[in-house]
Amino acid sequence: MNGGALQIHRLGKAYRHWRSEWLRVASWFGLKFGATDEHWVLKDISFSVAPGESVGIVGQNGAGKSTLLKLITGTSRPTEGVVGVQGRVAAILELGMGFNPDLTGRQNAFHAAGLMGYSEAQIAAVIPEIESFAEIGEYFDEPARTYSSGMQMRVAFSVATAIRPDVLIVDEALSVGDAYFVHKSFQRIRDFREAGTTLLIVSHDAAAIQSMCDRAVLLDAGRMVLDGAPQEVFDYYNAMIADKENASIRLDSSKGHVATHSGSGEATFESIELFDANGRPVEYVEVGADLVLQVRVAVRSEVPRLVFGYMLRDRLGQPIYGTNTDHTAQVMEQLRDGEHVVFRVRFKADLGPGTYSVSVALSSTETHLVKNYEWRDMALIFTVANADKPRFVGSAYLPATIDVERGNGV
């Protein structure tokens, strides 16, 4: 258990129902006899987080994410396994956890900071900063029972981050805040990360995980499914939540990157290629170049309704642009076994310099959650370079003219 800001080894949590209190007491002394009902919400979880590293925890509701955080912070005891944490930990878990509804925000801030181990002098020094960052005005001196969930989150986050912790743990609590404060909170988290704070964050927001985390851990039904790069984990996660009837999920690393495939197989991709305006295959393109994404599909059995969709993503996996043939009113119907279909997507590479990936999908509707025939993330990757355009930054090429007028009284 050495060498990491956070180390988790064979961690598990079970809830047990004993037939009698005598059996429960006997279990405290290691004596086991008589049947009990066990429900494991976490089982055999192992991973480590290095000092200054940022890791996202991903999974569907009920996967065990919040239980894992409670075990790490010590608010719940594990049934088995070990948690090792180095340094001061600040956690934002359930909204209002530890808040007394009859105390004011200021009083709750003093109380919460005291529970975090700060001295009275330290708390008195940071209370003005907590009040300023929370931005709830006169409500800071009103009872917490008068607060909205967003106001509770403002005060809780401000207290937890008043002094930069060694390890910061954030659950989905930030999702209830208004857009302004969420942006403000994530900026503080980024500042902490740059200063060396270790970050553990639970979120369903792929953009947040991909932009802030070095890697991600995927949980499903209390088990750890995958530990890898954020985009790889979210690709697999998206495949998991698709309709899995007669479907399979597999990872392909043969092309130097990890691509996720899933689907039931009634229609499949035969080839996925990118061509320039002259019909030549390309991997490197110039800003603004005319491109054609050509996709060949084989129909393996009768398909009543077929929708083709694609998505361009940046190097962090964040969506740049996507659409499908349902949105464009080009749905194909009553396809027979043995048929082939070719889709050609013509577009300009009005993108900033960098590396981009293409994800493609075949489904029965505009969403893959109904019938997912095949889904491929990172089906191909291409690089955009700026060879002849004025220098610019960003992920989109949006050329503009700037008028400059100089003179008195302008």
Side-chain angles (χ1 to χ4, degrees):
M1 297 291 291
N2 296 318
L6 173 64
Q7 295 215 345
I8 297 168
H9 181 67
R10 304 296 298 270
L11 196 63
K13 177 67 174 178
Y15 292 100
R16 294 178 170 136
H17 176 71
W18 301 92
R19 288 188 173 182
S20 73
E21 287 302 314
W22 290 108
L23 294 178
R24 182 192 301 274
V25 173
S27 72
W28 298 347
F29 299 96
L31 302 176
K32 293 186 179 180
F33 44 86
T36 62
D37 294 326
E38 282 189 337
H39 173 58
W40 288 87
V41 292
L42 280 179
K43 184 72 173 176
D44 199 23
I45 306 296
S46 297
F47 65 93
S48 63
V49 185
E53 190 178 18
S54 299
V55 175
I57 306 297
V58 181
Q60 293 178 272
N61 292 335
K65 306 185 299 297
S66 294
T67 300
L68 174 61
L69 297 192
K70 290 177 181 178
L71 296 179
I72 293 172
T73 57
T75 57
S76 180
R77 296 182 60 184
T79 304
E80 62 183 20
V82 181
V83 176
V85 183
Q86 295 181 8
R88 185 186 294 275
V89 178
I92 306 168
L93 303 180
E94 296 176 8
L95 274 175
M97 178 181 286
F99 274 28
N100 185 322
D102 295 322
L103 297 181
T104 67
R106 188 182 306 275
Q107 292 167 331
N108 272 301
F110 265 98
H111 179 65
L115 291 176
M116 292 172 63
Y118 299 133
S119 67
E120 287 190 19
Q122 287 177 310
I123 299 171
V126 299
I127 279 292
E129 162 62 20
I130 293 172
E131 181 177 7
S132 173
F133 194 87
E135 292 189 69
I136 62 172
E138 61 186 20
Y139 278 97
F140 196 58
D141 289 304
E142 295 293 330
R145 65 173 179 269
T146 65
Y147 289 8
S148 65
S149 59
M151 293 168 67
Q152 289 185 44
M153 189 272 281
R154 282 174 173 245
V155 175
F157 182 87
S158 301
V159 172
T161 60
I163 299 175
R164 185 178 72 83
D166 298 301
V167 180
L168 177 62
I169 299 175
V170 183
D171 203 346
E172 287 282 8
L174 286 176
S175 63
V176 306
D178 58 89
Y180 163 73
F181 194 77
V182 168
H183 278 268
K184 185 178 179 180
S185 300
F186 275 117
Q187 185 56 54
R188 172 166 280 190
I189 292 172
R190 291 188 185 95
D191 292 343
F192 282 179
R193 181 188 176 194
E194 291 175 3
T197 292
T198 301
L199 174 65
L200 199 65
I201 181 170
V202 167
S203 180
H204 288 99
D205 185 345
I209 296 291
Q210 290 162 346
S211 65
M212 299 183 64
C213 296
D214 303 301
R215 47 187 253 262
V217 171
L218 176 61
L219 300 181
D220 184 52
R223 299 274 185 167
M224 195 171 84
V225 177
L226 192 62
D227 181 349
Q231 182 173 349
E232 172 192 343
V233 170
F234 264 101
D235 289 346
Y236 197 93
Y237 174 56
N238 287 331
M240 277 180 52
I241 63 176
D243 176 27
K244 295 186 180 65
E245 183 180 354
N246 299 318
S248 63
I249 304 174
R250 59 193 183 279
L251 300 177
D252 180 6
S253 57
S254 60
K255 297 181 180 179
H257 58 270
V258 179
T260 304
H261 299 190
S262 69
S264 53
E266 289 90 336
T268 61
F269 295 109
E270 287 188 307
S271 64
I272 304 164
E273 300 170 289
L274 188 67
F275 298 101
D276 64 14
N278 297 316
R280 295 173 299 200
V282 289
E283 292 183 13
Y284 296 88
V285 303
E286 295 182 6
V287 174
D290 291 312
L291 299 176
V292 179
L293 171 65
Q294 180 173 289
V295 177
R296 295 183 179 274
V297 175
V299 180
R300 308 295 184 182
S301 63
E302 290 189 3
V303 173
R305 195 173 192 273
L306 181 65
V307 173
F308 163 72
Y310 73 98
M311 175 73 75
L312 300 182
R313 301 180 187 272
D314 66 12
R315 64 181 181 84
L316 297 175
Q318 300 184 55
I320 298 297
Y321 180 84
T323 190
N324 60 52
T325 55
D326 187 272
H327 297 329
T328 61
Q330 294 173 291
V331 175
M332 303 197 71
E333 297 181 339
Q334 304 306 321
L335 293 165
R336 299 185 301 276
D337 182 10
E339 286 195 70
H340 291 77
V341 183
V342 178
F343 297 96
R344 294 184 180 90
V345 180
R346 305 179 190 277
F347 66 100
K348 283 184 174 293
D350 289 337
L351 303 166
T355 302
Y356 298 86
S357 67
V358 179
S359 299
V360 291
L362 298 172
S363 58
S364 60
T365 66
E366 75 282 0
T367 172
H368 67 286
L369 299 178
V370 177
K371 190 66 175 178
N372 170 34
Y373 299 128
E374 185 168 7
W375 174 307
R376 289 196 192 183
D377 280 302
M378 299 183 72
L380 61 83
I381 293 177
F382 64 98
T383 300
V384 177
N386 187 2
D388 59 358
K389 303 293 189 295
R391 184 179 177 183
F392 67 97
V393 297
S395 59
Y397 174 55
L398 301 172
T401 58
I402 302 176
D403 294 327
V404 179
E405 191 173 341
R406 180 177 180 178
N408 296 327
V410 175

